[in-house]
Amino acid sequence: MSVPREVTRHEDAIPQLADVNVPDELKTWIEQRMAMYPDPKSATIPCLMQAQKLHGWLSPDAVRQVAAVMRVTPAYLVSVASFYDMFELQERGRHTIYMCTNISCMLRGADAVMAELEAAVGVSDGDVSDDGIFLRRFECLGACDIAPMASVDGVYVGPLTVDDAKQLVEDLRAERDVLPAKHLTKRPVAATFWSGGAPAGSGAGEA
Amino acid sequence: MNDDVKRDEATARAGDVADQSGKSSVGETVRPGEDNVVTDQAAVAIEEPRLQYQSPFTVVDALPPGYTKKPAGEPERKIISFTIDGAEVRAPEGIMLVDAAKYGGVEIPVFCYEPKLGAPVGACRMCLVEIEGIPKLQTACSTPVRDGMAVITKSPRVIEAQNGVVEFILLNHPLDCPVCDKGGECPLQDISYGWGSGKSRTTEPKRHFEKPVALSDGIAIDRERCILCYRCVRFSQEVSEDYQLVLLDRGAGAHVGTFDGSQYIAPFSGNVIELCPVGALTSRAYRFRARPWDIEQGGSVCTLCPAQCNVSYTVRDDKVMRTLARDNNAVDDGWLCDKGRFAYQAWESEARITTPLVRQGDKLLPARWDHALDVAAAALKKSGERTAALAGGATTNEEAWLLRRLMLEGLNSPHIDSRRGGKLSLDVARTLTQPALTVSVPDIEWADAVLVLDSEPVDDMPILDLRLRKGVRRNGMKLAIATPRPSSLDANTALVARYAPGYAGAFAQAVQAELDGSGDVDDYAARAGADAADVRAVAALLKGAERPVILWSERMLYTTAGAAPAQALCNIADRLGVGEREGAGLMQIPIQANGRGLREVGFLPNIGPGLTDGQPGRTGMSSDEIAAALGSDISALITVNVDPIVEYPNGRTWAAALAKAPTVIAFSTWLDPATALHADVVFPAEVGPEKEGTVTHPDGRIQRLRQTVERAGEVNAGWWVVGELAKRLGLDLGVKIANQATAQIAAGVPIYEGITTTEIGGTGVRWQERGAASNLPAPDATTFLLEAPPAAPQPNGRLRLGDFKSLWSGGEVVNAATLRALASGPRRVELSPVDGHRLGVASGDTVTLKTESGELSALVALRDAVPAGAAFLMTDERDGNEALRAALAGAPELIEVVK
Amino acid sequence: MDELLFQDIDEPGLNTIEVYERRGGYETLKKALRELDGEQVLAELQASGVRGRGGAGFAMGTKAGFLPKGTMDKYLCCNADESEPGTFKDRELMQKNPHQLVEGIILASYAAGINKAFIYIRGEYDAQASILEAAVREAYEHGHLGENIHGSGFGVSLVVHRGAGAYICGEETALLDSLEGKRGNPRLKPPFPANAGLFQGPTLINNVETLSNVSHIVKHGGEWYAKIGTEKSTGTKLVSVSGCVQRPGNYEIELGIPAREIIFGLAGGPLPGREIKAWFPGGSSSPLLTPDEFDLPYDFDSIAGAGSMLGSGAIIVIDDSVSIVDVALRTASFYKHESCGKCTPCREGTNWTTKMLQRVADGDATPMDLDLIAGVQQQIMGNCLCVLGDAMAMPVSSMVNKFRDEFEAHLEAARASRTPLADAPAKLDLVGGLVPGVIA
């Protein structure tokens, strides 16, 4: 039984700002976010997400930075972070693909699309490719109307065919807009959509 | 805490037998499924094919252990009646059904429920019961009992749910009981046996983790055994609030861990071992050392600090194998600090003195008792009334009483002291001792406003830290912290005030001035180095409270301000009218574990037993005066459990004085500097589990130490050694067993009049709550006119120096394997980031601290909360060197910090 | 029926305050602040009979009425953590008409005397959260949010708070813990949020769709609203239809129309050449219904009467090309993934069920295992801290019971195709692979 890590003093459980080099921008962001709540601890999830955006993942250093500004222990933060699916406590790539494989997407062929994505990215579920594409199966993303679908760097695309999967990865590697014709935000409500109402480019709900 | 021991204690309390015998056997009292089942439950066992588990827990006290009365702030509960399995039961309204059921002798099984951890969480679902009128089963741990409620705990539905939960819990449990340290004292075993179906239907693979993994030097974690009851992480988050032991991941993958695999280093971490209801968290020091049937439990009191927590030593083959908490809500609330929990290892260490030592030239050599006693007695005889004595630390009331008699009657010397400065006036001492002005520990928990003045509880009296956190978290207490150094309680406070190190007295006078207009608040605050707004806020908080409490450190009495800080406290108590209010008052946090007891039995130069007048014309020298007189008017010094070089603020003076002393006789556990360098005769001192006697808690609770193991090596009882010395001086102290000394105290200390060990029992008794309390002499004056306080020096580019002694110091820490690492590492000085930036230093840099009288080096720790212009130096035994003593000599000074 | 929530939903720029106000948006708010006191607004909500659209279907006005009166801080949490598989209606509302929601939140706050409001939106809804943030900013700029709104003396703040991926945060007390910056564990009830919710203060929690209804109710009156739908299920309902249908999507319906009209009428029925085998009437946690039940009126009570639930109004259609065994496994593994782990029956029960269903899917099981699976569901149901355990136990139980034949056929087919032991490959990893259920 080996004892991990060096001994610390209990007074040092919360990292000191003086010892942690927090980027000014992140520090300001966290301080402003904390001020939005009656209890500053409420800002935990948004602040962790901001640090994750900055660092690409919640590295131990990223966690320490948030901890020093928020005056909480890093353990508290990883406890929270590890509860939520969108926090990455392992290093991940520049791009993230969440492929929905829940019931509605499964019913429309999500597993085949996922298999194709794995082949195209060259990794299996939960891994990062050498060129920085992180692919994972995800539970229902709330877009069963475009099943099977995926969230690519936060952008919802679908319905996806097996061919779309290849195109999606190609677009991502070329650093261009992914499957522009299949963005959820360009799609009108079902009644309009299925009656042939103008789908893309109508401006409805453009974000 | 483990249930068997708890039950054992409950049984012991009920029978009051173990209290007196000093020992009781876990193995004999409660083994589920043995005698206790057969007698009452035979009929049931015949009807029911499966064995029924019957808890031995049938007696429930109306008040928690240690409580003699309900604290003033705690709400009243009326008694209601409800039925459980058809039987009518009376219980206090609103307590949880799990507890209410015990009033009817019914045990409802629980894993996650532990009221000490705060509000129930209802997570394990083990306690599901049926309540008439509610369709779904309810968790008995979270359902408050109401009048007329009908509860069913044995219906088929309930039994099915209980079987189901046990089955679920065992799905992933390795069932490795034969090699599990918890085996035999495991609630999971008991509950599986008593409430499980006895068979498993799963064929799936179990979850696997590396096992066991070290969580720290003290704790091992076996995640496979964990049943995710969350007790440990709730402790870390809701009791000790260190937020270091946490739950990681979610759902079936959830597991207990720390940040990035780091160690769980926190002052109270060891409590999670006792909280764990399975073998997931075990003590690395105790692992595989014994099985429950190999051991005995012996109750006593920890005397490593003034908190005097009640402990239960696990003994095997006359050796302490572990230390467990022995719930006494009036003292410790059932918690222990890690120092108290693991210190027993040190008592077995090589470093401990276990034979008498006599100096030969520059060496201390082991000696036979007769020889050592003869040498010491001869020196004392020669020194006669030019002998002085100092007592400290864990010295019992009995030892102090006998030594006092030896000094007064045997040597005709009144030069005895248990304080570390000049004399405290009789009026101040009596005023601050008034029962009406003193709060009990439970009073603190229920106070609506508490001021902590000049103390870091986690270092000075650790368990108090938890009590304060509990008050804030659960009872809405408003906490004010007034300290020079940032406190670990700052985050819990209603307000934080800082002042210059050593100027707590000036701060108190400023608060008084705000309360009664006796001075210029702005001026006084400036003299204290404090913000006047903070002073006003503290005063307003105390004034606005119904039950204000002030916890103040004895340290305040040892500054250049003399008696003024104590007098200011008397004045504040008067202005707040705490004497007339139940649950309001003051409590001193003594520096030494039995500081209060030593003073109350009269181990003072100017005050007699029970704060009676000292003998007329026989005022002795205070410790300061003794130091000055060593080698001239004083030719022999006896020290009992105290090393003035290390422990007294003017250590350097003492180092010089001791060098001049012709004779030094030390009662000592460790070769501390004063002992090692200057003692002529050393008597090995007893440690916790070896001792018999009484000590007095800072709130006046007289507690009993009971011998649990045979003394190590050649060690003899302290009272016996004093008696032998007296005999050689022609004085018969009349003590043949320890209890006789207690009887002498009961006869000789008016405020302790008539006290017996039986009355003290297992949970102690506060003398203020006994009739003899009226024997306390009334002070001539209870308020005092004060001059303006002295002003803290302005830094002007230098830094104000403060020092602090960490919890992680002392022979018990450096000599215990589990704790040693906490005390190691270079000397540390805490600076503010502002000063760090100015000086161009970062954390981890080495700096030199310079004063007029000397210099020393230390490692910088920049802390965001340290006020600019101040530096805080951690001091402990390892620093018993001239350089540090020089730097710290005398009153707080300014220092220069050089990179 | 006229659309209420979806009225001109695809009008370009409706998500901006300019278009929303041009269409009369925030007029109801101004009028209410001018002419009605909070109690009167509350009375309209109560009169409307609108039931919560998040899943439980509790009357919204009644819930708002539970909040204590007084001047303490009171909170509103808009539950925008839409995560129930098959549900995607709130996403559409937030993305396309965010101000309808914001106005509803302000009015609901006024009704219940709330001064601090939050929208807890699931982190995956990145685009929608950005739209909401912009809308909230605009509402502040136009004086609809903040202190002393339009000179009424009433003020409320609104913060958009993003979650980070946890289904359980849709459970109202888990949402509160998450919003307080903790792990999203459900809390014990009581105390109920109306008494001690966010930051231990009185808290009203409502779903996006529910709150989006508020401005319409206040505008037209509760009585008017109550006339839409059935007596006990008033108003319109957004229904998310997905799975094996021709036209998946969100449809706004009047509660009480036959389910057949939704599945076959609006959603176009099964895909060509396929037959519908089963359907979830209210998200993946609702027990499956069969084609026999297409004619049920689609409202809270009728669906409950058939032993299922309307839930969040998400119909997932399963056709004959899909194995119920796969659906059961997928359902169970979802809830296993999402169980917070706090209480034993849910944490262990979802995990155990998933392992057993995996074995069934792999063909390594016997019909006796089906009995065990069904039994374990009974052991979970009603015994958990929150409803997540039940959310798995109910549908899984319904699948195993209603489609027992299909499960048994699946196992029998697997048994028949199993390689006889004599023909098995020479090298066998006995512990690791072939023999299922050996405890390694």
Side-chain angles (χ1 to χ4, degrees):
Chain A
M1 224 189 314
S2 63
V3 182
R5 302 293 159 128
E6 78 284 7
V7 174
T8 55
R9 297 190 53 78
H10 65 85
E11 292 102 320
D12 298 335
I14 296 174
Q16 302 291 313
L17 270 176
D19 299 338
V20 179
N21 194 12
V22 190
D24 286 343
E25 194 188 299
L26 181 64
K27 183 164 177 278
T28 312
W29 198 97
I30 293 173
E31 282 165 352
Q32 284 175 354
R33 193 76 206 182
M34 288 198 293
M36 292 167 76
Y37 301 91
D39 177 354
K41 258 191 177 175
S42 271
T44 302
I45 291 171
C47 293
L48 284 169
M49 195 53 87
Q50 190 66 16
Q52 175 161 307
K53 262 187 207 160
L54 187 73
H55 293 267
W57 63 296
L58 282 180
S59 62
D61 279 342
V63 173
R64 273 190 209 101
Q65 290 175 4
V66 178
V69 184
M70 289 193 71
R71 307 292 310 139
V72 296
T73 62
Y76 175 79
L77 294 178
V78 291
S79 173
V80 172
S82 64
F83 187 88
Y84 297 92
D85 287 335
M86 293 174 72
F87 288 120
E88 300 297 339
L89 292 161
Q90 303 293 324
E91 202 161 358
R92 64 164 194 189
R94 289 168 295 131
H95 296 295
T96 300
I97 306 173
Y98 293 157
M99 177 69 209
C100 176
T101 53
N102 204 296
I103 301 170
S104 293
C105 285
M106 172 196 107
L107 293 170
R108 301 304 290 255
D111 291 331
V113 178
M114 179 66 190
E116 189 56 37
L117 282 172
E118 286 180 328
V121 179
V123 298
S124 49
D125 176 31
D127 278 341
V128 192
S129 68
D130 292 341
D131 59 348
I133 299 176
F134 174 66
L135 171 68
R136 67 181 279 195
R137 283 171 173 263
F138 216 82
E139 297 299 356
C140 184
L141 285 156
C144 321
D145 43 350
I146 55 165
M149 59 76 64
S151 169
V152 183
D153 293 332
V155 177
Y156 280 23
V157 290
L160 301 174
T161 62
V162 168
D163 289 340
D164 287 337
K166 279 186 208 133
Q167 184 65 43
L168 187 159
V169 177
E170 251 174 61
D171 287 345
L172 215 45
R173 289 208 160 114
E175 302 289 339
R176 62 175 175 249
D177 197 10
V178 171
L179 301 175
K182 296 215 168 179
H183 283 204
L184 170 78
T185 49
K186 295 174 182 168
R187 190 172 162 119
V189 291
T192 317
F193 181 83
W194 295 110
S195 63
S202 68
E206 286 279 6
Chain B
M1 95 169 276
N2 95 54
D3 268 10
D4 284 337
V5 175
K6 195 154 43 177
R7 285 182 196 129
D8 186 36
E9 290 304 325
T11 318
R13 275 196 301 279
D16 206 20
V17 175
D19 278 350
Q20 295 317 308
S21 73
K23 289 187 184 183
S24 63
S25 160
V26 167
E28 282 165 23
T29 30
V30 269
R31 283 272 57 77
E34 287 172 16
D35 322 29
N36 49 347
V37 173
V38 179
T39 47
D40 290 349
Q41 293 296 307
V44 180
I46 292 162
E47 283 169 28
E48 289 268 344
R50 72 197 179 95
L51 275 172
Q52 280 276 291
Y53 174 78
Q54 178 69 22
S55 163
F57 198 114
T58 49
V59 178
V60 180
D61 300 322
L63 286 167
Y67 278 50
T68 40
K69 60 172 190 192
K70 186 183 72 62
E74 193 181 339
E76 290 281 354
R77 285 187 193 278
K78 70 173 193 208
I79 300 293
I80 50 92
S81 83
F82 73 111
T83 68
I84 187 153
D85 299 323
E88 186 155 326
V89 175
R90 289 166 62 75
E93 184 177 36
I95 66 170
M96 297 306 163
L97 277 181
V98 165
D99 296 322
K102 290 175 186 165
Y103 284 76
V106 173
E107 180 160 354
I108 298 172
V110 293
F111 288 114
C112 70
Y113 181 63
E114 170 51 77
K116 289 196 294 185
L117 295 173
V121 290
C124 74
R125 316 304 285 178
M126 193 61 236
C127 64
L128 289 169
V129 294
E130 217 172 312
I131 298 171
E132 231 172 68
I134 304 179
K136 278 171 78 170
L137 298 182
Q138 300 292 306
T139 44
C141 74
S142 66
T143 308
V145 67
R146 292 191 206 301
D147 195 48
M149 213 175 220
V151 183
I152 301 148
T153 73
K154 293 183 171 68
S155 67
R157 254 179 92 199
V158 173
I159 288 170
E160 196 181 317
Q162 289 169 339
N163 287 346
V165 173
V166 169
E167 180 175 39
F168 280 140
I169 282 177
L170 293 179
L171 282 177
N172 277 307
H173 187 80
L175 294 169
D176 56 350
C177 309
V179 293
C180 177
D181 227 38
K182 196 80 169 183
E185 51 180 28
C186 175
L188 179 60
Q189 281 183 329
D190 294 353
I191 291 174
S192 298
Y193 185 68
W195 288 275
S197 74
K199 53 180 187 279
S200 170
R201 297 180 292 171
T202 185
T203 53
E204 314 300 332
K206 304 202 174 210
R207 62 184 206 156
H208 287 294
F209 288 102
E210 191 190 334
K211 61 185 277 180
V213 176
L215 206 50
S216 67
D217 285 346
I219 308 168
I221 184 168
D222 182 329
R223 296 192 171 96
E224 293 189 345
R225 293 181 188 150
C226 174
I227 60 163
L228 293 167
C229 71
Y230 312 117
R231 284 180 174 211
C232 57
V233 295
R234 281 168 66 206
F235 174 81
S236 170
Q237 280 152 55
E238 295 181 24
V239 179
S240 73
E241 301 183 318
D242 59 69
Y243 288 96
Q244 290 193 65
L245 192 67
V246 294
L247 208 63
L248 297 169
D249 293 344
R250 173 175 93 192
H255 58 278
V256 172
T258 56
F259 170 65
D260 204 25
S262 57
Q263 286 203 58
Y264 180 29
I265 302 289
F268 307 100
S269 69
N271 288 294
V272 301
I273 300 168
E274 278 192 67
L275 284 168
C276 185
V278 298
L281 294 166
T282 48
S283 160
R284 293 181 64 193
Y286 183 65
R287 277 171 75 84
F288 309 127
R289 300 294 199 283
R291 283 296 199 182
W293 42 90
D294 302 325
I295 58 176
E296 294 174 302
Q297 292 294 126
S300 191
V301 173
C302 173
T303 50
L304 293 176
C305 88
Q308 296 182 9
C309 297
N310 291 194
V311 294
S312 178
Y313 295 111
T314 295
V315 178
R316 180 181 186 177
D317 300 338
D318 232 0
K319 280 201 170 119
V320 176
M321 306 303 281
R322 72 177 166 184
T323 308
L324 299 174
R326 185 168 61 90
D327 284 37
N328 185 344
N329 296 48
V331 175
D332 49 48
D333 223 4
W335 308 120
L336 285 182
C337 75
D338 284 5
K339 188 171 171 177
R341 183 176 302 277
F342 294 111
Y344 71 90
Q345 298 169 351
W347 298 328
E348 296 281 327
S349 79
E350 295 282 307
R352 189 178 156 197
I353 306 169
T354 54
T355 61
L357 304 172
V358 174
R359 186 168 297 277
Q360 300 242 300
D362 59 351
K363 285 199 178 86
L364 278 172
L365 297 177
R368 290 198 337 273
W369 269 103
D370 276 349
H371 177 62
L373 286 165
D374 289 345
V375 172
L380 291 177
K381 194 170 247 171
K382 194 172 148 205
S383 172
E385 60 183 19
R386 298 199 307 151
T387 305
L390 303 174
T395 305
T396 59
N397 294 339
E398 286 73 11
E399 288 165 335
W401 172 262
L402 295 176
L403 185 61
R404 180 177 180 277
R405 285 190 59 202
L406 172 80
M407 293 293 289
L408 291 173
E409 300 167 30
L411 296 166
N412 196 29
S413 163
H415 310 306
I416 54 175
D417 207 353
S418 54
R419 299 175 71 254
R420 27 184 76 180
K423 296 185 188 93
L424 188 60
S425 85
L426 202 52
D427 280 336
V428 170
R430 284 178 182 168
T431 302
L432 290 172
T433 311
Q434 293 298 309
L437 255 53
T438 316
V439 289
S440 69
V441 172
D443 284 336
I444 298 171
E445 181 182 328
W446 290 96
D448 49 352
V450 173
L451 169 66
V452 174
L453 187 52
D454 214 37
S455 174
E456 169 66 322
V458 77
D459 289 332
D460 296 345
M461 188 170 163
I463 227 69
L464 197 55
D465 172 272
L466 298 184
R467 189 71 73 146
L468 290 168
R469 289 175 192 274
K470 184 181 179 192
V472 171
R473 180 177 271 270
R474 291 162 76 170
N475 303 338
M477 169 203 295
K478 288 204 172 65
L479 181 61
I481 299 286
T483 51
R485 177 176 173 251
S487 164
S488 57
L489 284 165
D490 282 354
N492 297 61
T493 53
L495 59 105
V496 172
R498 296 276 112 90
Y499 51 78
Y503 287 83
F507 185 86
Q509 280 191 251
V511 171
Q512 186 204 326
E514 172 64 17
L515 289 172
D516 64 9
S518 60
D520 177 348
V521 179
D522 292 292
D523 176 44
Y524 284 14
R527 286 166 183 261
D531 192 332
D534 291 346
V535 170
R536 294 198 165 92
V538 167
L541 181 73
L542 294 174
K543 206 172 172 179
E546 224 171 285
R547 294 175 304 280
V549 164
I550 300 174
L551 306 174
W552 59 283
S553 169
E554 184 189 345
R555 199 175 294 120
M556 282 176 67
L557 302 178
Y558 306 127
T559 69
T560 50
Q567 291 170 331
L569 286 167
C570 296
N571 292 345
I572 290 172
D574 174 71
R575 306 303 184 259
L576 293 172
V578 296
E580 290 81 56
R581 296 198 228 174
E582 279 283 303
L586 275 55
M587 190 171 95
Q588 188 204 72
I589 300 175
I591 294 169
Q592 317 238 26
N594 191 29
R596 181 167 189 136
L598 298 179
R599 291 190 281 280
E600 289 185 344
V601 298
F603 208 83
L604 291 170
N606 59 329
I607 300 177
L611 280 78
T612 49
D613 295 346
Q615 300 180 46
R618 302 224 344 130
T619 296
M621 296 184 194
S622 71
S623 59
D624 272 357
E625 291 161 346
I626 293 168
L630 265 180
S632 54
D633 290 345
I634 298 292
S635 55
L637 177 69
I638 303 172
T639 62
V640 184
N641 299 318
V642 65
D643 183 326
I645 297 181
V646 171
E647 295 176 39
Y648 285 17
N650 48 348
R652 190 172 66 143
T653 310
W654 272 101
L658 285 166
K660 288 188 273 177
T663 304
V664 176
I665 297 165
F667 290 67
S668 194
T669 311
W670 315 105
L671 278 174
D672 293 325
T675 306
L677 299 172
H678 303 292
D680 299 289
V681 179
V682 181
F683 294 121
E686 296 164 286
V687 296
E690 298 166 358
K691 276 198 170 186
E692 195 71 44
T694 63
V695 288
T696 309
H697 186 276
D699 79 353
R701 179 172 300 270
I702 303 166
Q703 305 205 84
R704 185 180 168 200
L705 307 176
R706 293 175 302 187
Q707 189 182 356
T708 312
V709 293
E710 195 46 65
R711 297 177 194 90
E714 304 289 311
V715 178
N716 265 316
W719 57 263
W720 179 86
V721 181
V722 177
E724 286 296 309
L725 283 176
K727 204 185 287 174
R728 282 162 172 77
L729 295 170
L731 172 69
D732 180 5
L733 290 175
V735 179
K736 295 200 169 56
I737 57 168
N739 238 338
Q740 288 176 305
T742 311
Q744 288 184 14
I745 289 174
V749 180
I751 56 174
Y752 292 181
E753 192 177 79
I755 194 99
T756 62
T757 47
T758 310
E759 187 187 348
I760 295 168
T763 52
V765 59
R766 288 187 75 216
W767 66 257
Q768 294 96 330
E769 292 167 16
R770 302 173 73 246
S774 60
N775 293 339
L776 181 75
D780 291 336
T782 54
T783 59
F784 305 88
L785 253 175
L786 297 175
E787 290 175 3
Q794 290 307 313
N796 294 329
R798 294 195 290 172
L799 298 174
R800 288 169 171 156
L801 177 67
D803 65 325
F804 66 99
K805 192 171 161 186
S806 164
L807 161 68
W808 309 122
S809 60
E812 276 75 10
V813 174
V814 294
N815 294 309
T818 298
L819 303 174
R820 188 174 297 131
L822 297 168
S824 65
R827 185 183 299 124
R828 165 176 165 125
V829 62
E830 296 175 350
L831 300 176
S832 79
V834 177
D835 291 317
H837 185 75
R838 182 171 57 81
L839 298 163
V841 295
S843 293
D845 288 354
T846 302
V847 291
T848 305
L849 313 184
K850 291 186 176 175
T851 70
E852 278 88 15
S853 44
E855 64 178 58
L856 67 114
S857 64
L859 215 60
V860 171
L862 296 185
R863 294 188 72 199
D864 299 336
V866 168
F872 296 96
L873 186 67
M874 191 171 82
T875 63
D876 64 38
E877 275 70 2
R878 293 170 304 111
D879 287 322
N881 63 52
E882 287 298 301
L884 177 77
R885 291 301 138 202
L888 292 178
E893 282 183 82
L894 296 177
I895 54 160
E896 200 178 333
V897 175
V898 186
K899 191 176 177 179
Chain C
M1 179 210 74
D2 288 331
E3 284 170 332
L4 202 59
L5 302 182
F6 270 3
Q7 208 172 33
D8 299 324
I9 190 79
D10 280 314
E11 179 167 335
L14 181 59
N15 61 320
T16 64
I17 201 161
E18 282 72 28
V19 176
Y20 184 73
E21 283 190 343
R22 178 154 24 92
R23 294 172 37 85
Y26 289 114
E27 286 307 321
T28 308
L29 172 68
K30 288 184 199 162
K31 188 157 179 264
L33 289 177
R34 208 165 46 233
E35 295 172 7
L36 304 173
D37 61 24
E39 292 286 322
Q40 289 169 303
V41 176
L42 181 63
E44 294 299 334
L45 293 176
Q46 285 166 343
S48 76
V50 61
R51 290 167 71 166
R53 266 53 168 151
F58 195 83
M60 186 229 176
T62 311
K63 194 154 137 183
F66 286 154
L67 262 68
K69 313 293 170 215
T71 55
M72 71 287 259
D73 274 341
K74 284 183 252 182
Y75 304 95
L76 181 145
C77 293
C78 168
N79 186 345
D81 191 63
E82 182 175 60
S83 310
E84 174 77 9
T87 313
F88 45 90
K89 62 192 174 69
D90 295 341
R91 184 208 74 209
E92 198 114 71
L93 287 172
M94 291 187 284
Q95 178 186 321
K96 295 181 171 169
N97 197 352
H99 285 287
Q100 176 176 258
L101 171 62
V102 173
E103 188 174 4
I105 288 173
I106 303 167
L107 282 164
S109 301
Y110 185 54
I114 285 160
N115 57 334
K116 289 188 170 66
F118 297 89
I119 300 174
Y120 184 99
I121 182 169
R122 63 181 300 193
E124 294 90 338
Y125 281 173
D126 186 42
Q128 292 74 17
S130 299
I131 290 167
L132 273 177
E133 280 159 0
V136 168
R137 209 177 308 124
E138 287 177 327
Y140 269 106
E141 285 162 8
H142 285 239
H144 305 313
L145 280 169
E147 286 173 18
N148 191 18
I149 299 168
H150 301 307
S152 64
F154 166 72
V156 64
S157 64
L158 177 58
V159 171
V160 178
H161 183 100
R162 297 176 189 223
Y167 166 81
I168 188 61
C169 294
E171 197 281 336
E172 59 177 12
T173 58
L175 182 150
L176 296 178
D177 262 29
S178 183
L179 187 44
E180 287 178 6
K182 303 172 189 161
R183 295 162 62 85
N185 289 324
R187 300 177 182 175
L188 269 181
K189 287 190 267 192
F192 290 94
N195 294 317
L198 193 62
F199 312 120
Q200 293 304 308
T203 305
L204 178 65
I205 306 167
N206 278 124
N207 165 266
V208 171
E209 185 187 347
T210 319
L211 288 163
S212 293
N213 271 302
V214 169
S215 64
H216 301 284
I217 294 168
V218 177
K219 183 176 176 187
H220 300 290
E223 233 171 277
W224 169 85
Y225 187 90
K227 286 186 190 128
I228 310 170
T230 69
E231 193 193 333
K232 286 185 174 168
S233 298
T234 60
T236 67
K237 177 84 193 80
L238 298 187
V239 183
S240 305
V241 191
S242 66
C244 309
V245 289
Q246 300 208 23
R247 296 197 292 265
N250 285 314
Y251 298 94
E252 184 167 11
I253 60 145
E254 194 166 354
L255 283 166
I257 66 168
R260 182 185 296 280
E261 230 174 86
I262 304 169
I263 298 170
F264 288 84
L266 296 169
L271 297 167
R274 293 289 169 197
E275 265 183 46
I276 297 175
K277 176 154 77 178
W279 54 293
F280 290 98
S284 68
S285 57
S286 58
L288 279 189
L289 295 179
T290 60
D292 296 346
E293 288 149 311
F294 281 147
D295 292 316
L296 278 174
Y298 197 72
D299 62 57
F300 289 103
D301 300 309
S302 304
I303 302 289
S308 188
M309 58 188 201
L310 186 103
S312 52
I315 295 175
I316 308 171
V317 176
I318 299 162
D319 71 19
D320 57 355
S321 70
V322 182
S323 161
I324 292 290
V325 176
D326 290 344
V327 176
L329 174 58
R330 201 61 63 113
T331 306
S333 69
F334 168 72
Y335 289 102
K336 176 211 158 189
H337 180 81
E338 299 298 345
S339 169
C340 80
K342 185 174 179 179
C343 82
T344 309
C346 171
R347 178 185 67 239
E348 302 297 337
T350 55
N351 190 27
W352 191 13
T353 302
T354 305
K355 283 177 179 173
M356 289 190 288
L357 282 170
Q358 182 67 57
R359 226 158 21 81
V360 171
D362 294 346
D364 289 330
T366 69
M368 276 168 63
D369 286 306
L370 300 177
D371 297 335
L372 181 53
I373 292 170
V376 168
Q377 307 317 304
Q378 291 303 318
Q379 215 162 287
I380 296 170
M381 264 189 263
N383 289 342
C384 299
L385 180 67
C386 80
V387 293
L388 192 138
D390 290 12
M392 177 202 70
M394 291 188 300
V396 167
S397 180
S398 78
M399 288 178 222
V400 175
N401 292 328
K402 285 191 182 175
F403 295 87
R404 173 96 184 189
D405 293 350
E406 191 176 331
F407 276 87
E408 289 193 5
H410 172 86
L411 291 176
E412 177 56 25
R415 194 190 64 78
S417 68
R418 172 88 27 94
T419 317
L421 214 58
D423 301 334
K427 272 181 78 178
L428 282 181
D429 178 6
L430 278 174
V431 173
L434 188 73
V435 183
V438 167
I439 297 164

